[in-house]
Amino acid sequence: MDIQFLGTGAGQPSKARNVSSLALKLLDEINEVWLFDCGEGTQNRILETTIRPRKISKIFITHLHGDHIFGLPGFLSSRAFQANEEQTDLEIYGPQGIKSFVLTSLRVSGSRLPYKIHFHEFDQDSLGKVLETDKFAVYAEELDHTIFCVGYRVIQKDLEGTLDAEKLKAAGVPFGPLFGKIKNGQDVVLEDGTEIKAVDYISAPRPGKIITILGDTRKTDASVRLAVNADVLVHESTYGKGDEKIARNHGHSTNMQAAQVATEAGAKRLLLNHISARFLSKDISQLKKDAASIFENVHVVKDLEEVEI
Ligand SMILES: [Zn+2]
């Protein structure tokens, strides 16, 4: 499982940073990629990665500001031009209005897609669990921005323990139906009377990962709730230390506030994105240094950077 950052800038693109988008690559887990936000030019960034657009099966939108959604019509149209590849449906999750934005842009531009888009829109009253599959659940909660904006908590369900086949063979269990029974947690008795307790041959279930990806927001308790015990928290850092007041006025956070959220939530790792073009590279090191005084495991991400979870 990896996160690849496609755009890490705030508001408008700069030479170094494109506007918001990131890909949660779940290729080993479910052979899918999930996109979070899709600012203008996201499809160009994808061309610089190994991500195949057809593998993108779900898009989660945090809010309807242009720097988070203007890349959708272009991406959706290009995704249709995958010659010789099977066309797969796409799910889009996001605030009410996202469906009308997408359908209007496609209709006005005369774009016809050879695959279906299923929309899952929500508002203040219909948040909570927005998706559940056999392997993952995704929750959304409202943040505190200048328009309705959400953060997402992606929970990977615990991974089943695996059967230790070598140990079973060594214990004299003949390969065959007994293996299946033991794998299902059933104790068995061999012909010679040996008792085999399933629990001794199955490793303990491994806890799944928790990934929290927030949209633009002031510091708010909802961010903490979404990030409780997260393996990774992706948090905006539009402003730096000392700019708390201006951050509040514009509906954003500073690096210090992001670090406080990570600390309060007991997150393991903090990745800062949505970085203003005002920050030069020396400012970026300072952003990290200042945040690290509150939460040590922090990193300011770059476009196209890939982080293993
Ligand atoms: Zn915004």
Side-chain angles (χ1 to χ4, degrees):
M1 188 185 301
D2 305 84
I3 294 181
Q4 186 160 25
F5 289 87
L6 300 169
T8 60
Q12 56 194 34
S14 66
K15 280 186 183 164
R17 295 179 187 274
N18 197 34
V19 283
S20 292
S21 184
L22 69 81
L24 176 62
K25 295 164 83 172
L26 304 169
L27 295 167
D28 289 342
E29 291 76 14
I30 50 174
N31 199 23
E32 291 180 22
V33 176
W34 295 357
L35 209 61
F36 288 76
D37 285 336
C38 188
E40 183 187 354
T42 294
Q43 61 168 321
N44 304 60
R45 275 293 190 248
I46 290 175
L47 288 175
E48 296 174 58
T49 70
T50 56
I51 298 168
R52 289 157 73 191
R54 188 178 58 89
K55 290 277 183 210
I56 297 177
S57 57
K58 299 185 192 329
I59 302 179
F60 297 86
I61 298 295
T62 60
H63 66 302
L64 302 183
H65 275 154
D67 58 322
H68 294 254
I69 64 167
F70 283 170
L72 274 174
F75 169 75
L76 296 173
S77 304
S78 300
R79 188 179 183 271
F81 296 112
Q82 305 265 306
N84 308 323
E85 290 202 31
E86 179 201 350
Q87 299 288 342
T88 47
D89 288 2
L90 183 81
E91 316 276 329
I92 297 182
Y93 299 79
Q96 207 122 58
I98 192 64
K99 179 175 180 181
S100 134
F101 169 74
V102 168
L103 295 184
T104 304
S105 350
L106 294 175
R107 180 173 45 79
V108 171
S109 58
S111 313
R112 292 183 72 87
L113 305 182
Y115 58 87
K116 280 206 186 70
I117 303 177
H118 306 280
F119 291 92
H120 308 266
E121 291 187 306
F122 37 73
D123 57 21
Q124 279 94 341
D125 303 321
S126 57
L127 286 171
K129 195 196 290 174
V130 296
L131 166 70
E132 179 158 22
T133 69
D134 57 337
K135 298 208 165 112
F136 288 92
V138 180
Y139 293 81
E141 194 170 341
E142 185 179 5
L143 301 174
D144 181 11
H145 190 41
T146 53
I147 59 169
F148 178 64
C149 179
V150 304
Y152 292 101
R153 177 178 173 89
V154 180
I155 300 178
Q156 181 187 27
K157 295 185 179 171
D158 289 350
L159 301 157
E160 274 178 26
T162 48
L163 193 67
D164 190 339
E166 287 308 313
K167 196 175 167 188
L168 275 180
K169 271 192 244 161
V173 181
F175 187 75
L178 284 182
F179 269 56
K181 282 189 181 169
I182 297 165
K183 189 167 192 284
N184 291 330
Q186 219 175 308
D187 298 337
V188 299
V189 180
L190 302 184
E191 275 176 13
D192 65 2
T194 314
E195 237 187 293
I196 300 285
K197 289 211 178 300
V199 68
D200 297 334
Y201 297 88
I202 301 172
S203 62
R206 283 179 295 138
K209 305 280 186 198
I210 300 173
I211 304 105
T212 301
I213 298 166
L214 303 185
D216 296 1
T217 187
R218 301 181 179 95
K219 186 170 185 294
T220 166
D221 290 345
S223 302
V224 178
R225 285 193 293 273
L226 286 165
V228 166
N229 296 331
D231 291 277
V232 175
L233 164 61
V234 180
H235 197 300
E236 70 131 293
S237 173
T238 314
Y239 292 92
K241 186 179 180 182
D243 283 338
E244 279 72 23
K245 195 168 170 220
I246 179 165
R248 168 149 295 278
N249 289 341
H250 289 91
H252 288 292
S253 298
T254 68
N255 55 337
M256 309 309 275
Q257 292 172 318
Q260 279 157 8
V261 169
T263 304
E264 287 169 36
K268 296 189 182 75
R269 196 167 175 195
L270 172 62
L271 301 176
L272 298 177
N273 70 350
H274 208 263
I275 306 297
S276 164
R278 293 178 290 113
F279 293 122
L280 307 172
S281 69
K282 66 171 176 18
D283 306 317
I284 302 287
S285 352
Q286 195 62 42
L287 272 183
K288 176 195 158 91
K289 218 169 146 192
D290 289 340
S293 68
I294 297 176
F295 184 85
E296 211 186 331
N297 196 2
V298 58
H299 174 63
V300 182
V301 294
K302 291 195 189 85
D303 279 27
L304 299 177
E305 185 172 350
E306 206 165 354
V307 176
E308 199 183 325
I309 303 170

